[in-house]
């Protein structure tokens, strides 16, 4: 299959927001957009309670309507659609195996409760070995400027995007995470903010904490140096912050265009594992969250 950006659609406003985000990402990457719907998506208010034939016709209409809307916005974007058999958590990772990323919608619950990923989203993220991006539906959805050929309006790359934020653990290799984050920032022409949260036991005195802080900052700089050299056009801001890594990352990403977190590709007896930092960011970041699996 041709490299593409794949997005899962279930007819909800959140999945349509994910499709809109995925379309812009496909244009940035200069690859086709692949719209898919898994037939066994759990029944919601968006999915009719009906027989298989009715549900299949409904799913085909969801895909066709979304494709028509996106073609109107982005006339130059190549697009394909497909209805999949099986459960989303099984079908979507297989369909996205050759994609550059899989994009899903995520329902918001408010600033205190955070965001609902749901069992389908969590299981799909855990099973997918490509980056998965979770997108929230905006509070006020409006028409986007068209992009593509002809007289369509072209976005101003220098001002169209806010920062990309990446959360790093200086104690382990983050090459796949950094490769994804730097590439996203380079394509957007925006600043990359690299964030590392760290803590010390309360028994440490102020002076040793200052020394450890300098060591942490140096380790973060050393980790970023080869990527700065590989992507010289990307402006990088380094932040080694005292506090919970998850809280610092969610706070830093409050005004971001995209926040990037890692997920270790280790196999547990009960299935794949999503780490506590990625789990917290997925549930509490208002910005789209890219979960990048790595060894």
């Amino acid at each position: 299959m041709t490299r593409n950006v794949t997005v899962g659609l279930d007819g909800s406003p959140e999945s349509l927001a994910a499709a809109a985000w995925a379309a812009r990402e496909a244009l940035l990457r200069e690859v086709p957009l692949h719209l898919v719907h898994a037939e066994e998506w759990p029944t919601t208010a968006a999915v009719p309670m009906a027989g298989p034939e009715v549900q299949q016709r409904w799913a085909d209409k969801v895909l066709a309507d979304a494709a028509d809307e996106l073609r109107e916005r982005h006339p130059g974007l190549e697009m394909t659609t497909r209805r999949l058999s099986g459960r989303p958590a099984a079908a979507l990772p297989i369909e996205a195996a050759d994609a550059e990323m899989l994009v899903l919608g995520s329902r918001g619950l408010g600033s205190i409760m955070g965001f609902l990923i749901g069992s389908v989203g969590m299981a799909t993220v855990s099973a997918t070995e490509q980056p998965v991006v979770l997108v929230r539906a905006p509070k006020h959805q409006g028409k986007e400027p068209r992009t593509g050929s002809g007289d369509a309006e072209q976005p101003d790359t220098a001002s169209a995007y806010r920062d990309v934020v990446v959360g790093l653990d200086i104690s382990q290799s983050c090459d796949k995470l950094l490769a994804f984050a730097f590439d996203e920032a380079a394509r957007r022409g925006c600043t990359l903010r690299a964030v590392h949260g760290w803590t010390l036991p309360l028994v440490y005195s102020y002076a040793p904490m200052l020394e450890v802080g300098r060591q942490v900052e140096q380790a973060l700089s050393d980790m970023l140096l080869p990527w700065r050299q590989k992507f010289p056009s990307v402006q990088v801001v380094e932040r080694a912050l005292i506090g919970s890594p998850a809280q610092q990352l969610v706070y830093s990403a409050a005004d971001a265009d995209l926040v990037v977190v890692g997920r270790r590709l280790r196999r547990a007896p009960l299935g794949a594992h999503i780490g506590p930092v990625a789990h917290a960011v997925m549930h509490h970041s208002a910005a789209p969250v890219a979960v990048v699996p790595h060894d």
Side-chain angles (χ1 to χ4, degrees), residues 2-292:
T2 304
R3 302 292 290 183
N4 61 66
V5 172
T6 296
V7 57
L9 282 173
D10 65 358
S12 67
E14 293 75 27
S15 75
L16 296 177
W21 189 96
R24 296 190 295 273
E25 183 70 19
L27 287 169
L28 281 173
R29 292 173 173 267
E30 299 181 331
V31 298
L33 177 66
H34 188 43
L35 305 171
V36 299
H37 172 82
E39 290 181 346
E40 295 182 23
W41 220 301
T43 299
T44 66
V47 182
M49 292 286 291
E53 292 185 2
V54 173
Q55 290 194 14
Q56 288 174 5
R57 289 197 297 270
W58 176 85
D60 289 339
K61 186 176 186 304
V62 167
L63 291 169
D65 288 350
D68 289 344
E69 172 82 11
L70 293 173
R71 286 192 183 100
E72 181 182 353
R73 296 180 182 180
H74 311 292
L77 177 61
E78 182 181 346
M79 209 174 310
T80 57
T81 64
R82 187 179 181 187
R83 175 163 42 83
L84 309 175
S85 299
R87 296 178 297 105
L92 291 174
I94 294 173
E95 190 70 9
D98 294 320
E100 297 196 0
M101 66 175 63
L102 172 65
V103 185
L104 302 173
S106 182
R107 180 161 62 90
L109 296 178
S111 60
I112 296 177
M113 295 181 67
F115 292 93
L116 178 65
I117 304 302
S119 58
V120 170
M122 291 294 289
T124 304
V125 170
S126 298
T128 304
E129 297 194 0
Q130 305 298 327
V132 180
V133 179
L134 300 167
V135 179
R136 330 298 184 189
K139 292 181 179 179
H140 304 288
Q141 291 178 298
K143 287 286 185 179
E144 301 172 46
R146 297 183 183 184
T147 60
S149 57
D151 297 329
E153 181 181 349
Q154 299 293 331
D156 180 1
T157 305
S159 60
Y161 300 102
R162 294 173 292 179
D163 295 355
V164 171
V165 174
V166 58
L168 299 174
D169 181 351
I170 60 173
S171 67
Q172 60 180 288
S173 173
C174 295
D175 284 350
K176 285 190 177 180
L177 199 60
L178 285 165
F180 183 91
F182 268 88
D183 182 66
E184 288 291 322
R187 292 180 186 277
R188 286 164 167 73
C190 68
T191 297
L192 175 64
R193 280 185 266 152
V195 177
H196 171 71
W198 63 281
T199 59
L200 278 177
L202 295 177
V203 296
Y204 275 70
S205 66
Y206 182 71
M209 181 171 286
L210 287 178
E211 178 58 30
V212 173
R214 285 191 287 267
Q215 294 174 4
V216 170
E217 291 173 353
Q218 185 60 54
L220 180 60
S221 294
D222 292 344
M223 175 178 281
L224 292 168
L225 180 58
W227 295 96
R228 284 179 177 270
Q229 295 171 340
K230 187 174 182 178
F231 292 88
S233 65
V234 175
Q235 180 180 351
V236 181
V237 175
E238 304 173 17
R239 292 181 175 176
L241 304 171
I242 299 176
S244 161
Q247 290 180 356
Q248 293 294 353
L249 193 52
V250 170
Y251 178 78
S252 297
D255 60 347
D257 198 68
L258 178 68
V259 55
V260 183
V261 295
R263 177 181 72 81
R264 297 298 298 273
L265 273 174
R266 57 175 177 261
R267 303 301 180 190
L270 298 179
H273 176 69
I274 296 176
V277 174
H279 190 277
V281 175
M282 287 166 58
H283 281 80
H284 294 286
S285 171
V289 178
V291 184
V292 180

